[in-house]
């Protein structure tokens, strides 16, 4: 695989356009997190859709959806920063290298994944108590999928608290998986058609064979 490639003018325009989109998504993510930091109280539920959607502020030093929260703070935080850096670099690097083969749907997926990875990377790398007064990623979106705060607690009630960057990553991964499944189905159908004996052409005779057949008939 080539590590670099020459960008055409059209390819550069596409990269710039979708790159600007990714930057805007990161900006929206950071803005909403800081609005949550300024106006929400940690642990206090604010109903948007009662018994379904709430805004509530929390700080996550683990990975997305609080996975890995049992690790010691310095160790877990360092691992999560490393994961975010690697994820961000790989997504952006792969996107740049293969953009000329991407459709706009592929670019939209790459835009979402890059924005999600970078958005949470900024939080993990720079939001420390000594700098901002709190540690970790700001989460503020809380869904209750099993009846609301008054219903029994289970796996989806409440659902994990997250932010827009987590949403970008989740939506991007779902889109990517659906696209891969569709491509696999299309490839399997093409393979089945190519093996259908009814679609195979009869071998064509060369001119010499045609002449021999004509001589035999004479």
């Amino acid at each position: 695989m080539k590590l670099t490639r020459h960008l055409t003018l059209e390819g550069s325009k596409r990269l710039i356009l979708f790159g600007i989109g990714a930057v805007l998504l990161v900006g929206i993510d950071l803005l909403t997190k800081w609005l949550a930091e300024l106006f929400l109280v940690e642990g206090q539920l604010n109903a948007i859709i009662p018994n379904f959607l709430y805004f509530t502020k929390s700080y996550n030093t683990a990975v997305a959806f609080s996975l890995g929260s049992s690790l010691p703070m310095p160790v877990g935080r360092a691992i999560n920063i490393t994961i975010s850096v690697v994820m961000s670099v790989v997504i952006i690097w792969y996107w740049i290298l293969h953009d000329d083969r991407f459709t706009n749907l592929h670019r939209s997926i790459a835009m979402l994944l890059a924005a999600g990875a970078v958005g949470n990377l900024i939080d993990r790398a720079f939001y420390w108590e000594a700098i901002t007064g709190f540690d970790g990623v700001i989460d503020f979106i809380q869904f209750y999928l099993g009846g609301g705060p008054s219903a029994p607690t289970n796996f989806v009630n409440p659902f994990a608290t997250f932010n827009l960057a987590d949403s970008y990553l989740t939506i991007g991964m779902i889109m990517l998986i659906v696209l891969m499944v569709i491509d696999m189905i299309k490839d399997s159908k093409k393979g089945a058609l190519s093996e259908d004996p009814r679609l195979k052409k009869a071998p064509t005779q060369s001119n010499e064979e045609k002449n021999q057949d004509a001589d035999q008939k004479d």
Side-chain angles (χ1 to χ4, degrees):
M1 187 194 318
K2 294 182 179 179
L3 298 180
T4 60
R5 72 177 182 86
H6 177 70
L7 286 174
T8 63
L9 178 60
E10 183 179 354
S12 298
K13 289 180 178 178
R14 284 196 303 263
L15 271 176
I16 291 172
L17 178 63
F18 281 88
I20 291 173
V23 171
L24 289 175
L25 289 178
V26 172
I28 294 170
D29 171 61
L30 295 178
L31 175 62
T32 54
K33 286 172 179 173
W34 276 100
L35 288 174
E37 171 63 22
L38 292 173
F39 296 107
L40 298 180
V41 177
E42 186 175 3
Q44 178 179 310
L45 292 175
N46 299 271
I48 306 302
I49 302 176
N51 296 323
F52 178 66
L53 173 61
Y54 294 80
F55 284 169
T56 180
K57 182 173 63 176
S58 64
Y59 304 107
N60 180 16
T61 56
V63 293
F65 303 113
S66 300
L67 297 174
S69 56
S70 60
L71 293 172
M73 166 64 174
V75 176
R77 188 79 179 269
I79 292 174
N80 293 330
I81 291 173
T82 303
I83 292 172
S84 293
V85 170
V86 172
M87 183 185 300
S88 301
V89 171
V90 169
I91 291 171
I92 295 172
W93 173 70
Y94 188 87
W95 180 7
I96 292 173
L97 286 185
H98 297 85
D99 181 76
D100 55 346
R101 292 188 290 174
F102 281 3
T103 64
N104 285 337
L105 180 57
H106 289 99
R107 295 184 187 99
S108 298
I109 293 171
M111 180 179 67
L112 286 168
L113 295 177
V118 172
N120 280 337
L121 170 61
I122 292 172
D123 289 31
R124 293 190 180 108
F126 300 108
Y127 293 177
W128 298 82
E129 188 169 359
I131 300 173
T132 58
F134 59 87
D135 281 314
V137 177
I138 303 172
D139 290 331
F140 64 93
I141 303 171
Q142 178 78 79
F143 281 100
Y144 282 82
L145 305 180
S150 59
T153 301
N154 54 47
F155 179 70
V156 295
N157 194 70
F159 192 61
T161 310
F162 56 99
N163 54 49
L164 289 186
D166 295 330
S167 301
Y168 300 158
L169 289 170
T170 302
I171 294 170
M173 286 304 301
I174 292 173
M175 291 173 64
L176 180 60
I177 291 170
V178 170
L179 195 61
M180 290 173 64
V181 170
I182 292 173
D183 288 341
M184 289 173 60
I185 293 172
K186 288 181 178 179
D187 290 341
S188 65
K189 287 183 177 180
K190 287 180 181 178
L193 288 173
S194 64
E195 294 174 359
D196 190 335
R198 294 171 298 178
L199 300 178
K200 292 182 179 180
K201 294 181 179 180
T204 57
Q205 288 182 315
S206 64
N207 290 331
E208 184 178 350
E209 291 173 336
K210 289 179 180 178
N211 293 332
Q212 289 177 355
D213 290 342
D215 292 339
Q216 290 176 359
K217 290 179 180 179
D218 291 341

